[in-house]
Amino acid sequence: MALVELFGETLVTKDGPKPTAEALSGCTQIGVYFSAHWCPPCRAFTPKLADKFKHDYAAKGLKVVFVSADRHEKDFNEYYGEMPWHALPYGCDRGKALGSRYDVEDIPMLVILDPQGNMLSKDGRILVSQGMTYPWSLGAHADAGRPSSVPSSVARAFSAHWCPPCRAFTPKLAEKFKNDYEAKGLKVVFVSSDRNEQGFNEYYGEMPWHALPYGSDRKETLSRKYGVQGIPMFVILDPEGNLLSADGRGLVSQGAAYPWSPGGGAGAGAGAGAPPSSGCAVL
């Protein structure tokens, strides 16, 4: 695909706006970096990526385009000021289109493209974090990002600051995530039912994983998909998005060893036919 079709006619660069074709000319690969100033994991990953970009990747031809999920242009400007690469203009419609194209549900996410705009990997963050040598080969992320010896799952954590059972469960999950699950490949995305952005920001500040942006319309879609009627609810998926268990909360609370097996929620986590754990109704 032509790069102008992906990114539009113009990109923001450190030397001012430039035509996209000129800004990306001579690239060996392109990193499409979905990130935001308000997101703690983003602010932790950005300086690591920037350091490797300045000392290694840039000289080898990597071009990076920042796609902002910032809520205010002031935040965008401040955050982009820390970055040594290009960006989509703030508020550009191409950002949403790219997010849909690459199924971006949580940030930070670094999508790797070849010079023609064909996707090589959605796991650029893993490639960077694990120190894989650049340039990255086609398909390298499948083995480098998720070694066969380390099974991986994806979890959706439906929760809210105002819900007492959620506030009781979250620190237990966070402790096990930091001390066990994260190193074994579990990826968690917080799906908020908070009633205001302040509550979301305060609550997400306690979490060591990712989150859907506050107010995302994906929240209602995911809630319907997994039948969420009460929170906290911790849904476990395999890396391809297939449901493994709707009772991840039971698995965590009962100390079931991770990685969890398909169908392990009802039998291992809560017991077949067990009544639902106490929680807060989602209206």
Side-chain angles (χ1 to χ4, degrees), residues 210-231:
H210 311 316
L212 285 186
Y214 178 74
S216 169
D217 55 11
R218 292 282 300 168
K219 184 260 183 185
E220 296 300 330
T221 301
L222 291 170
S223 294
R224 287 194 300 270
K225 182 174 182 177
Y226 301 117
V228 179
Q229 297 180 344
I231 55 176

Side-chain angles (χ1 to χ4, degrees), residues 13 34 46 68 83 187 264:
T13 80
F34 298 87
T46 295
S68 172
M83 301 176 182
K187 182 178 179 181

Side-chain angles (χ1 to χ4, degrees), residues 135-152:
W136 301 302
S137 58
L138 178 63
H141 64 291
D143 295 323
R146 296 189 179 96
S148 58
S149 60
V150 184
S152 173

Side-chain angles (χ1 to χ4, degrees), residues 226 235-238 241-247 262-263:
Y226 301 117
V235 177
I236 311 301
L237 313 173
D238 70 15
N242 302 306
L243 180 68
L244 297 181
S245 175
D247 189 31

Side-chain angles (χ1 to χ4, degrees), residues 10 18 20 33 41 45 52 103 121 135 157 186 208-209 253 255 271-273:
T10 304
K18 285 188 177 181
T20 297
Y33 184 40
F45 179 67
K52 291 189 177 184
D103 298 319
S121 174
L186 179 65
W209 43 70
S253 297

Side-chain angles (χ1 to χ4, degrees), residues 44-59:
F45 179 67
T46 295
K48 297 175 184 177
L49 175 60
D51 182 68
K52 291 189 177 184
F53 180 83
K54 289 185 287 187
H55 294 106
D56 184 14
Y57 305 155

